[in-house]
Amino acid sequence: YLNASPELLERALRGRLVVRYSYYLPPIALPSDRLVVYNMWASTHIPPEIIDAINDAASLCCVPCRHNVEIFRNAGVRVPLRVLPHGVDGERFPLLNRPRVASDPLVFGTISDFSYRKGIDVLVRAFRREFAAHEPVRLILKNSGGYPVADIDDPRIEHFPGHDRQAELLPLLGQMDAFVLPSRGEGFGLTGLEAMATGLPVIATNWSGPADYLDPADSLPLDYRLVDAPGVTEPAHRFDGQWAEPDEAHLRHLLRWVYENRDEAAAMGQRAAARVRRNWTWDAAAQILR
């Protein structure tokens, strides 16, 4: 439609409800009866051109978490704001069997694009400082974004760069005993929810998107403090305002707790999987959208 002539576009969209899913970019006005935009942001400052475009073009703005409702409203969005969460397909992310014996190393892992926003620097520092060389632990880093990772010259750290098909991620998740998402800001943080669905206990920063799906009964919320976002630029967007700085000392404490309480952490992951597979599905999100 966007490549069509204005006349064809108007004929195609007149009287229709259009939902536009395109975060980080301003919406454009369309000749539809109503336009619903889906947007998100990972720091407290949203570019004014995005806010102005939402107010000019949209009848409704959906965001993936409660934190985004707050920051979009504070930024000046005047149209109605609603939470439309992400979800998990339980067939694509099944509950995985992870047979372990006492002599196996404890494996932490994470999957993301490894931009500065993702807090991988905090994770690597915390892991290396908390565990001595003789302790049986490993850290799996799946880096889909190609950003460099410092201080991984450690035989206990495995770094896998590049994109994989979804089916190829399951063996990596199957090797992990806990998933860590020490992000400085997320619109939602879907990888944490997907890891939970497979039966992993999740350590994640208790701010922005993950705060909605973390539950202390079956997950490990990570403390943080708000700091000024340094204007870090990722492709097509820049983060200003404030965001979370994960508490490295608390992260070390949580890593140690998982290491010393493997059975309890595994049971926590099973409880998380049951909750996610019951309440955080794409079917549930579709019902909210309807």
Side-chain angles (χ1 to χ4, degrees), residues 44 46 51 67-77 81:
T44 60
I46 304 169
I51 303 302
H67 171 261
N68 268 203
V69 170
E70 178 183 348
I71 64 172
F72 274 76
R73 183 176 291 128
N74 290 342
V77 168
L81 282 156

Coordinates of all heavy atoms in Angstrom, one line a residue, residues 44 46 51 67-77 81:
T44 N 13.6 7.0 28.9 CA 12.5 7.9 29.3 C 12.2 9.0 28.3 O 11.2 9.7 28.4 CB 12.7 8.5 30.7 OG1 13.9 9.3 30.7 CG2 12.8 7.4 31.7
I46 N 11.5 10.2 24.6 CA 11.0 9.8 23.3 C 11.1 11.0 22.3 O 10.7 12.1 22.6 CB 9.6 9.3 23.3 CG1 9.4 8.2 24.4 CG2 9.1 8.7 22.0 CD1 8.0 7.8 24.7
I51 N 6.2 11.6 19.0 CA 5.0 12.0 19.8 C 4.1 12.8 18.9 O 2.9 12.5 18.9 CB 5.4 12.7 21.0 CG1 6.4 11.9 21.9 CG2 4.2 13.2 21.8 CD1 5.9 10.6 22.3
H67 N 5.2 0.4 31.7 CA 6.2 1.4 31.8 C 6.1 2.3 30.5 O 6.3 3.5 30.6 CB 7.6 0.8 31.9 CG 8.7 1.8 31.7 ND1 9.4 2.0 30.5 CD2 9.3 2.7 32.6 CE1 10.3 2.9 30.7 NE2 10.3 3.4 31.9
N68 N 5.9 1.7 29.4 CA 5.8 2.5 28.2 C 4.5 3.4 28.2 O 4.5 4.5 27.6 CB 5.8 1.6 27.0 CG 7.2 1.4 26.4 OD1 7.4 1.1 25.2 ND2 8.2 1.6 27.2
V69 N 3.4 2.9 28.8 CA 2.3 3.8 28.9 C 2.7 5.1 29.7 O 2.3 6.2 29.3 CB 1.1 3.1 29.7 CG1 0.0 4.1 30.1 CG2 0.6 2.0 28.8
E70 N 3.4 4.9 30.8 CA 3.8 6.1 31.6 C 4.7 7.0 30.8 O 4.5 8.2 30.8 CB 4.6 5.6 32.8 CG 5.1 6.7 33.7 CD 5.9 6.1 34.9 OE1 5.8 4.9 35.1 OE2 6.6 6.9 35.6
I71 N 5.8 6.5 30.1 CA 6.7 7.4 29.5 C 6.1 8.0 28.2 O 6.4 9.2 27.9 CB 8.0 6.7 29.1 CG1 7.9 5.6 28.1 CG2 8.7 6.2 30.4 CD1 9.2 5.0 27.7
F72 N 5.2 7.3 27.5 CA 4.6 7.9 26.3 C 3.6 9.0 26.8 O 3.5 10.1 26.1 CB 3.9 6.9 25.5 CG 4.8 6.2 24.5 CD1 5.7 5.2 24.9 CD2 4.7 6.5 23.1 CE1 6.5 4.6 23.9 CE2 5.5 5.9 22.2 CZ 6.4 5.0 22.6
R73 N 2.9 8.8 27.9 CA 2.0 9.8 28.4 C 2.7 11.0 28.9 O 2.4 12.2 28.6 CB 1.1 9.2 29.5 CG 0.1 10.2 30.0 CD -0.8 9.6 31.1 NE -1.7 8.6 30.5 CZ -1.8 7.3 30.9 NH1 -1.1 6.9 31.9 NH2 -2.7 6.5 30.3
N74 N 3.8 10.8 29.6 CA 4.6 11.9 30.1 C 5.3 12.7 29.0 O 5.6 13.9 29.1 CB 5.7 11.4 31.1 CG 5.2 10.9 32.4 OD1 4.0 11.2 32.7 ND2 5.9 10.1 33.1
A75 N 5.5 12.0 27.8 CA 6.1 12.7 26.7 C 5.1 13.5 25.9 O 5.5 14.2 25.0 CB 6.8 11.6 25.8
G76 N 3.9 13.3 26.2 CA 2.9 14.2 25.5 C 1.9 13.5 24.6 O 1.1 14.2 23.9
V77 N 1.8 12.2 24.6 CA 0.8 11.5 23.8 C -0.6 11.8 24.3 O -0.8 11.6 25.5 CB 1.1 10.0 23.7 CG1 -0.1 9.2 23.1 CG2 2.3 9.7 22.9
L81 N -3.9 5.4 25.3 CA -2.7 4.5 25.4 C -3.2 3.2 26.0 O -3.9 3.2 27.0 CB -1.6 5.1 26.2 CG -0.7 6.1 25.5 CD1 -0.1 7.0 26.5 CD2 0.3 5.5 24.6

